[in-house]
Amino acid sequence: MGLTDPIDSAHEREAGLMLTLNTHVMADGASRAAFNALTLRTFGFSFEEWYRAGYGSANNIPYTLFDGAKAVANVSVNLMDVVYAGKKRRYIQLGTVMTEESFRGRGLCSRLMQTVLAQWSQRCDAMLLFANRCALDFYPRFGFERQKQASFRMPLDTGEGFCRRLDMDSPGDRQIALRCYGQGNPFSALQVVDQAGLMMFYALTTRKEDMLYVPSFDALVVAGQEENLLRVYDVFCAPESGTLAQILRAAAQPGTRAAELMFTPVERGGMDVGTLEDEDDALFLLRGGENIFRGGEWLFPALAHT
């Protein structure tokens, strides 16, 4: 599909629409502005700051339908390298699925899903996506099956608060975040690697206040404090930096009694392992690809959701 490939159907012709498919929206300023306007109306955020800061990637490919100059629907293809059991796999995650409110009910996202599946489903080890409760019945139509994920909670003796919140408007602090990210998460059994741009998207938007740097371990802990619970989205540091418990105690505030891990830990001893409640962020995998989630013992890292 090219920059302005027509999407033609009797339904759209009757409605007086001439829709075009654009798979290069990020590279074109006007198209990107229209795409960002749709994400703002749908999700409340824009990719503009992230893109202008240089964090865009060829691994992120929006498939966007336009009615003239207006973006009206999108499904994005995100190419990912996933490492577990010592091996690297190529996964594709679909995300930023949205339709302009006045264009809903016309099957636009269905048509985009069909196009994406035809082009990409045979070019990866697995295809996945995350859905909110409003879309739980939508994705099974295309061969996706809902998967259970595990939850992990580890006790902490107490928090020490030996960290500082990074200022993500500061170029120096952004470099600290990127440097730590480059070391990976030595405590995670399932890692999405070489996705600094995706991590920085979170750092500049929804996780902007959660970027905690622990100098004594040269570690980045992406976490939010919720009373006596530390919700840990990811940890990035060198393998020899320290233990996970040591790093999380340093990042947590005094009085913290437990940490909820939003990634699959390598070591689970002493942890409370359960089933994740995910009605608003449910994992779906396309049938026919590999599926390590079938047993409900894994958790896809939160900072790798698109």
Side-chain angles (χ1 to χ4, degrees):
M1 292 291 176
L3 184 62
T4 56
D5 288 329
I7 297 294
D8 187 24
S9 76
H11 185 81
E12 270 67 48
R13 290 197 302 273
E14 290 172 4
L17 299 177
M18 179 56 70
L19 302 182
T20 56
L21 175 62
N22 186 335
T23 59
H24 299 83
V25 296
M26 302 307 286
D28 176 71
S31 299
R32 190 174 67 250
F35 174 79
N36 283 324
L38 181 57
T39 64
L40 272 171
R41 290 191 296 271
T42 306
F43 301 117
F45 62 74
S46 166
F47 289 92
E48 189 62 22
E49 180 184 3
W50 171 81
Y51 181 83
R52 287 184 176 272
Y55 301 123
S57 168
N59 288 333
N60 170 251
I61 310 169
Y63 278 59
T64 312
L65 284 178
F66 281 78
D67 178 28
K70 183 177 183 179
V72 297
N74 182 78
V75 174
S76 290
V77 172
N78 299 279
L79 311 181
M80 295 181 163
D81 288 329
V82 176
V83 177
Y84 65 90
K87 296 182 180 179
K88 182 183 289 187
R89 276 83 162 175
R90 170 50 60 93
Y91 280 20
I92 290 177
Q93 184 178 170
L94 307 185
T96 324
V97 180
M98 55 187 176
T99 304
E100 176 69 31
E101 186 173 4
S102 61
F103 283 76
R104 292 173 187 170
R106 303 185 185 189
L108 301 187
C109 271
S110 292
R111 207 145 350 128
L112 286 173
M113 288 289 296
Q114 291 164 356
T115 299
V116 165
L117 289 172
Q119 294 189 8
W120 291 99
S121 62
Q122 301 302 313
R123 299 167 65 183
C124 58
D125 295 302
M127 183 175 284
L128 63 103
L129 56 84
F130 289 88
N132 61 30
R133 65 179 67 234
C134 297
L136 297 180
D137 296 328
F138 177 68
Y139 295 108
R141 305 175 195 172
F142 304 97
F144 286 87
E145 297 177 328
R146 188 172 178 179
Q147 309 296 321
K148 289 183 179 180
Q149 294 189 89
S151 64
F152 304 97
R153 182 173 294 211
M154 64 179 292
L156 291 179
D157 297 335
T158 185
E160 299 168 346
F162 296 152
C163 66
R164 73 174 180 89
R165 180 174 288 108
L166 295 181
D167 177 4
M168 297 315 297
D169 294 323
S170 162
D173 279 3
R174 288 187 185 186
Q175 287 305 310
I176 290 174
L178 286 168
R179 178 175 55 76
C180 290
Y181 174 82
Q183 299 178 106
N185 182 346
F187 312 110
S188 176
L190 173 66
Q191 296 189 62
V192 176
V193 298
D194 301 326
Q195 287 284 337
L198 180 56
M199 188 275 291
M200 290 303 296
F201 170 77
Y202 280 105
L204 294 174
T205 56
T206 57
R207 302 271 77 87
K208 192 171 186 177
E209 301 302 315
D210 299 333
M211 307 295 287
L212 307 178
Y213 178 61
V214 186
S216 55
F217 296 102
D218 190 28
L220 173 64
V221 178
V222 186
Q225 188 79 40
E226 300 177 10
E227 297 182 348
N228 65 351
L229 175 70
L230 188 70
R231 191 180 302 276
V232 183
Y233 299 98
D234 226 318
V235 178
F236 303 108
C237 62
E240 66 276 7
S241 294
T243 69
L244 179 60
Q246 288 172 332
I247 293 171
L248 295 187
R249 279 199 299 268
Q253 293 302 305
T256 304
R257 307 305 301 171
E260 182 178 2
L261 306 183
M262 304 305 293
F263 58 87
T264 304
V266 174
E267 300 292 339
R268 305 183 184 187
M271 292 191 185
D272 180 10
V273 181
T275 300
L276 184 70
E277 299 293 332
D278 62 355
E279 287 298 311
D280 283 315
D281 203 20
L283 172 64
F284 283 80
L285 262 71
L286 185 65
R287 285 194 299 269
E290 68 176 23
N291 185 357
I292 66 170
F293 295 92
R294 189 168 286 116
E297 299 178 356
W298 295 81
L299 177 62
F300 197 78
L303 285 194
H305 291 205
T306 65

